[in-house]
Amino acid sequence: VTDAYPLKKIKAPSVTPAQLAQLPADVLNTLYQAVLEGDIEAANQVIDQILDFDGYVAEVIQAMLKEYKFDELQELIEAATM
C-alpha cells in the first residue's frame, strides 16, 4: 500500500539572532555562560527569566537544551550579541 499523502518533514521551531537580541543583555550573557559551561540547571533558571520577556523564545531555547544543541545555541547567542 502506498501513501497518497506522504508526510512532510516538519521543521522544528527556531529563533533568530534578532529575536535573542531583544532580550536584556544580562539575561543573554548569563544564558551564554550557562551554555558554555553545559550547565543545564543554570540555563533553566535563565529560561525562567526569559519567559517574562518572550514565551516563544523561552520554549524554543528549552527545546534546544533538551536536544543538547549547545553549539547551535552558542552560535545563535554569539550572532545576537555582535
Side-chain angles (χ1 to χ4, degrees), residues 10-39:
I10 298 172
K11 187 176 179 182
S14 63
V15 295
T16 64
Q19 287 172 296
L20 289 181
Q22 298 300 312
L23 299 173
D26 62 323
V27 172
L28 205 51
N29 289 335
T30 304
L31 177 62
Y32 184 72
Q33 195 61 43
V35 169
L36 281 179
E37 295 172 3
D39 188 341

Side-chain angles (χ1 to χ4, degrees), residues 67-80:
E67 295 173 8
Y68 297 100
K69 294 184 176 181
F70 294 99
D71 291 340
E72 187 177 330
L73 188 51
Q74 180 181 342
E75 290 172 10
L76 274 172
I77 296 168
E78 288 171 355

Side-chain angles (χ1 to χ4, degrees), residues 46-66:
V46 178
I47 290 169
D48 288 342
Q49 295 175 18
I50 294 171
L51 278 169
D52 293 336
F53 301 101
D54 191 326
Y56 174 78
V57 170
E59 287 181 26
V60 173
I61 293 171
Q62 180 72 50
M64 290 176 78
L65 289 174
K66 284 182 179 178

